[in-house]
Amino acid sequence: MNRRNFLKNASLTGVALSPAANISTKAFNKFNSIQEIDNDLLTSTDLKEATINMLQDKMESGALTSVAITKWYLRRINEIDKSGPRLNSVIEINPDALHIAAKMDQERKGGKLRGRLHGIPILIKDNIDSADKMMTTAGSLALEGNRASEDAFIVKKLREAGAVLLGKTNLSEFANFRSTQSTSGWSSRGGQTKCPYVLHRNPSGSSAGSASAVAASLCTIAIGSETNGSIVSPSSVNGLVGIKPTVGLWSRTGIIPISATQDTAGPMARTVTDAAILLSALAGPDIADTVTANSQGHTQLEFTNLRSDFLQGKRLGIEQSFLKGDNKDVVALYQKAIELLKEKGAEIVEIELIKKTAPLGRAQYIVLQYEFKDGLNKYLSRANAKVKSLKEVIEFNEENADKAMPFFKQEILINCEAKGGLESAEYKEAVMKSTSARKIIDDMLQENKLDAICGVTNGPACCIDLVNGDYDTGFSFSSPSAMAGYPHITLPMGEVHHLPIGFSFIGAAYTEQKLINLAYAFEQASLKIKAPEYLNEIGS
């Protein structure tokens, strides 16, 4: 989750800071076949900023194969992620990636196509189970060695769709729910991930690796997960399109949890179309995740029927508090985005959503503490990790503090362990309060006859600071839809000093199709997506 935004809304700021320490990036286990790559082919091929449709066209024409595309991304990971700028976004490569790609090529040659993801390499966050040779650790040394016996439900659907599972991405350890003093994008197993736009800037949490990797063209698409801001915030600061779906649109089975009420995985991509393709492929009910039953009758399994004129005649609520923000450059971008919406035929209504949902932050934190303990204990009891409970995770970290906790500690884990069970009156009351965000959003949409509510996704990326941890740069819009479990899509609206700023559309449950079309129309009108420059400093 996006800790600095969450803490701001939960009124948990003002905590003490962790001591300074040094970290060296962990050695990368290079893919065994990297030396077998055809350098002539890769020298003549440039897949930077390639979309799913572009890659499909190349495979369909015979210009490239899935194997060749996979090799290109493997070399780029070696050159950009583990050398050069050293983004450190990929925590592990799938040793079976080329074998999967070869199988997809064979199927294509035989006339079998599984869909738009057939042969497309994808990276997934390291809290998502894959029943292969890769580990699933949530970035924690305590879970090192955990190899899942079964794919997460969404990974099964990825394989069914023909995607090539390229590897796993680094993240903020335990999805940024370990310490109130953490640095986003850092994990004890994976080290610190960087933002490819300005390398000393934080890529945001907790899906930091997925965001950095897509922005740097280490893959075409990736999967992140969110409890509160962990898809939309890193997407915003890394110049991406990110979709946090309605909780229940995608299954959570086989994903290391924080909150059964708020957790969901979701797509991260460079274009709205690519994000919509991935969202469509993995949506659907899972009998092991009962909340997905709510999606029956509400979802379309195809979100890619997109219209560039969709803003015409739409009525959009604009979060007015962001018009009064301290960062005038961000405010100016926001105002330009609003003017663009008007130019494209949208009617604008100023609203105050954050003012109504901010008081729910404390209740949200209580919910997350109880549900994290319950969910993690259940996950670990069935996992192949050496630790079998939250209590054992805490004990491992204490016993290995020099490696597991060189910077910040684990006070959130300790506080969660101190909580009781889900039958607690405190928990039940907190759930009722935090999820009242649903009624607040529903009422605001209905009373103002709105199609969606818009705002600034997040402020500019903060600096990586392992001494003091993350700090607030303003403009957080993740909490209302997170507490409600409602959909949220972000996409670029411009840059401030080379740092991308995202624009958000949020709506009622299962309104993904409408929000995606609104975002697509905005994207086509603004064309604000810009490749990273790998700057060492602002102005360099």
Side-chain angles (χ1 to χ4, degrees):
M1 63 186 297
N2 182 1
R3 185 187 63 78
R4 63 187 175 88
N5 292 340
F6 170 73
L7 292 179
K8 181 181 178 182
N9 286 288
S11 300
L12 295 172
T13 54
V15 293
L17 301 176
S18 55
N22 294 318
I23 182 169
S24 59
T25 304
K26 290 181 177 295
F28 179 64
N29 182 17
K30 292 182 180 177
F31 190 70
N32 292 333
S33 299
I34 200 77
Q35 299 304 324
E36 301 171 12
I37 292 176
D38 185 337
N39 286 317
D40 290 337
L41 169 68
L42 294 185
T43 300
S44 63
T45 301
D46 188 355
L47 301 181
K48 292 192 294 292
E49 305 296 298
T51 65
I52 291 173
N53 288 336
M54 289 168 61
L55 295 180
Q56 289 296 352
D57 288 345
K58 288 181 181 295
M59 288 187 283
E60 185 64 25
S61 69
L64 288 175
T65 62
S66 178
V67 167
I69 292 168
T70 302
K71 286 180 176 180
W72 189 92
Y73 282 122
L74 287 170
R75 190 177 83 165
R76 185 158 176 84
I77 289 170
N78 195 47
E79 292 177 346
I80 301 297
D81 204 57
K82 306 307 165 189
S83 305
R86 294 188 180 273
L87 297 176
N88 200 38
S89 64
V90 180
I91 201 169
E92 190 168 3
I93 286 291
N94 183 5
D96 295 324
L98 286 177
H99 301 298
I100 299 170
K103 181 181 178 182
M104 293 305 105
D105 285 336
Q106 189 174 30
E107 288 187 3
R108 184 184 294 270
K109 188 175 181 180
K112 178 181 178 180
L113 285 178
R114 302 188 183 202
R116 298 198 201 188
L117 294 183
H118 190 110
I120 301 295
I122 182 171
L123 290 166
I124 66 173
K125 190 174 176 179
D126 179 41
N127 60 350
I128 303 172
D129 283 345
S130 58
D132 49 29
K133 297 169 186 174
M134 294 188 291
M135 294 183 281
T136 306
T137 69
S140 172
L141 289 177
L143 272 64
E144 199 166 37
N146 178 40
R147 290 180 174 84
S149 301
E150 186 175 356
D151 282 336
F153 184 85
I154 59 172
V155 173
K156 289 179 185 176
K157 291 186 75 69
L158 270 180
R159 296 191 198 275
E160 290 168 3
V164 177
L165 190 51
L166 188 62
K168 295 194 176 183
T169 56
N170 195 27
L171 69 159
S172 308
E173 188 168 325
F174 281 116
N176 231 349
F177 206 61
R178 200 189 90 179
S179 172
T180 57
Q181 304 165 20
S182 67
T183 299
S184 291
W186 183 91
S187 72
S188 57
R189 180 183 170 218
Q192 178 67 53
T193 298
K194 301 174 187 176
C195 174
Y197 284 84
V198 181
L199 297 173
H200 75 278
R201 292 279 166 166
N202 195 298
S204 189
S206 67
S207 304
S210 295
S212 180
V214 175
S217 294
L218 307 184
C219 59
T220 308
I221 47 175
I223 294 178
S225 68
E226 174 163 331
T227 304
N228 186 336
S230 285
I231 291 173
V232 296
S233 180
S235 294
S236 173
V237 304
N238 287 278
L240 301 178
V241 177
I243 302 176
K244 183 198 85 77
T246 304
V247 173
L249 186 69
W250 277 16
S251 165
R252 289 88 54 81
T253 303
I255 302 176
I256 298 175
I258 292 180
S259 167
T261 301
Q262 294 184 195
D263 283 354
T264 181
M268 304 172 78
R270 287 185 294 276
T271 69
V272 173
T273 300
D274 281 0
I277 289 171
L278 182 53
L279 185 70
S280 301
L282 306 193
D286 169 19
I287 59 172
D289 186 0
T290 56
V291 73
T292 62
N294 298 331
S295 68
Q296 295 278 20
H298 292 286
T299 62
Q300 296 175 218
L301 297 185
E302 182 57 63
F303 295 103
T304 55
N305 298 320
L306 304 176
R307 288 173 44 196
S308 60
D309 64 347
F310 198 75
L311 286 166
Q312 182 66 44
K314 297 301 183 291
R315 194 171 161 88
L316 302 176
I318 297 295
E319 174 58 48
Q320 66 171 242
S321 66
F322 295 147
L323 293 167
K324 306 169 186 176
D326 291 335
N327 189 321
K328 301 307 178 186
D329 293 328
V330 175
V331 173
L333 280 182
Y334 188 41
Q335 289 170 330
K336 287 180 182 178
I338 294 168
E339 289 305 311
L340 180 61
L341 295 175
K342 292 178 181 178
E343 289 172 16
K344 294 302 174 179
E347 184 179 354
I348 300 301
V349 180
E350 290 191 8
I351 51 91
E352 291 185 289
L353 178 59
I354 292 176
K355 182 178 180 180
K356 293 187 176 182
T357 58
L360 309 180
R362 177 65 66 173
Q364 178 191 203
Y365 184 55
I366 293 171
V367 170
L368 269 52
Q369 287 177 303
Y370 276 95
E371 292 186 348
F372 178 71
K373 177 183 178 181
D374 179 75
L376 186 66
N377 282 341
K378 287 176 179 174
Y379 175 88
L380 291 176
S381 70
R382 299 186 294 265
N384 296 318
K386 54 184 172 282
V387 290
K388 294 298 180 182
S389 67
L390 173 58
K391 183 175 182 292
E392 291 184 14
V393 170
I394 294 169
E395 290 171 351
F396 175 92
N397 289 341
E398 291 293 348
E399 292 168 4
N400 300 275
D402 58 331
K403 295 179 180 179
M405 302 188 295
F407 306 112
F408 50 88
K409 303 306 177 185
Q410 58 177 345
E411 59 273 15
I412 290 180
L413 301 188
I414 293 169
N415 290 341
C416 292
E417 176 61 23
K419 292 295 183 183
L422 301 188
E423 71 284 351
S424 162
E426 181 188 40
Y427 167 71
K428 292 178 180 178
E429 181 181 351
V431 169
M432 289 182 62
K433 186 170 184 179
S434 67
T435 56
S436 68
R438 297 169 187 168
K439 187 176 187 305
I440 293 172
I441 293 174
D442 289 342
D443 288 349
M444 186 165 288
L445 290 167
Q446 292 165 13
E447 290 168 4
N448 294 282
K449 299 179 181 178
L450 302 176
D451 291 286
I453 299 172
C454 307
V456 180
T457 310
N458 218 55
C462 65
C463 294
I464 294 171
D465 189 345
L466 289 165
V467 177
N468 300 309
D470 293 347
Y471 57 87
D472 182 30
T473 62
F475 305 98
S476 169
F477 204 44
S478 61
S479 287
S481 58
M483 290 185 288
Y486 282 2
H488 183 166
I489 181 168
T490 181
L491 74 164
M493 67 172 175
E495 292 185 350
V496 171
H497 300 297
H498 302 281
L499 298 172
I501 306 294
F503 187 81
S504 290
F505 294 89
I506 70 173
Y510 301 108
T511 56
E512 278 83 357
Q513 183 65 62
K514 179 185 288 187
L515 298 181
I516 289 169
N517 263 292
L518 290 169
Y520 179 75
F522 181 90
E523 174 191 61
Q524 297 305 301
S526 63
L527 298 176
K528 290 296 184 181
I529 296 175
K530 183 181 176 183
E533 300 176 81
Y534 309 96
L535 300 175
N536 289 314
E537 298 285 345
I538 299 291
S540 63

